[in-house]
Amino acid sequence: VNDPVDGDLATLLIRMKEHVRDLFEPVGATCGFDLPVPLPERRVGDRFKRNLFLLFKEASHNALKYSNTDRIELLIRMDDTTFTCALIDHGAGRKEGPPIGGGHGLANMRDRAAEINAQLVITDTAGGGTTVSVSGPLTCFDH
């Protein structure tokens, strides 16, 4: 994923799925994946590949450390003009107050989304939990 050469979307999505599985299965959490079938055959730019992966890596590590979730889902949606990638945990939800730890994770995630001209939205999930969603036009893939 950190290879500076452009890549393909299918490989990126598989790597994101593997990362979520590697983090959450050892702690007994159920992992759900809703990815396009077949996986899209599309080139992606090196900045898109790196920033999307690192953004979701941060989100998944935060979910593991803070949510106490027993179920996590990775969702990818695409149509002719837009894409959405979401990580949904069904844990404790976000806490009020200052950020835990160094507090740079959310700012880094926002910067990564902005660098690929995508929108980052973090919302509370009904019944507890948090959804981290990145969406934008398909032209984001070219960055």
Side-chain angles (χ1 to χ4, degrees):
V1 170
N2 288 326
D3 187 340
V5 177
D6 294 350
D8 65 270
L9 185 59
T11 302
L12 173 61
L13 298 179
I14 290 167
R15 181 64 191 110
M16 290 169 62
K17 177 181 175 179
E18 289 171 347
H19 181 74
V20 169
R21 183 180 292 142
D22 289 348
L23 278 180
F24 287 92
E25 284 186 350
V27 297
T30 302
C31 300
F33 303 101
D34 188 352
L35 282 66
V37 176
L39 288 173
E41 294 183 25
R42 185 169 194 313
R43 302 293 302 161
V44 294
D46 63 324
R47 283 189 314 158
F48 178 84
K49 178 178 68 170
R50 184 177 190 330
N51 282 305
L52 190 70
F53 180 77
L54 291 176
L55 192 154
F56 276 88
K57 183 177 178 182
E58 177 78 27
S60 59
H61 280 267
N62 286 347
L64 181 68
K65 286 172 30 179
Y66 305 120
S67 75
N68 196 31
T69 190
D70 63 353
R71 184 167 49 116
I72 190 116
E73 299 171 60
L74 178 64
L75 168 91
I76 313 294
R77 294 276 188 263
M78 292 175 53
D79 61 28
D80 292 340
T81 59
T82 61
F83 77 96
T84 300
C85 297
L87 186 73
I88 306 159
D89 77 60
H90 299 273
R94 294 182 291 168
K95 306 287 187 265
E96 295 295 323
I100 300 170
H104 300 290
L106 182 56
N108 290 342
M109 290 174 18
R110 284 190 178 118
D111 289 347
R112 291 187 187 288
E115 190 170 328
I116 59 172
N117 295 327
Q119 181 181 14
L120 172 70
V121 177
I122 301 174
T123 56
D124 296 322
T125 304
T130 304
T131 298
V132 176
S133 178
V134 176
S135 60
L138 294 183
T139 55
C140 293
F141 293 167
D142 300 328
H143 290 274

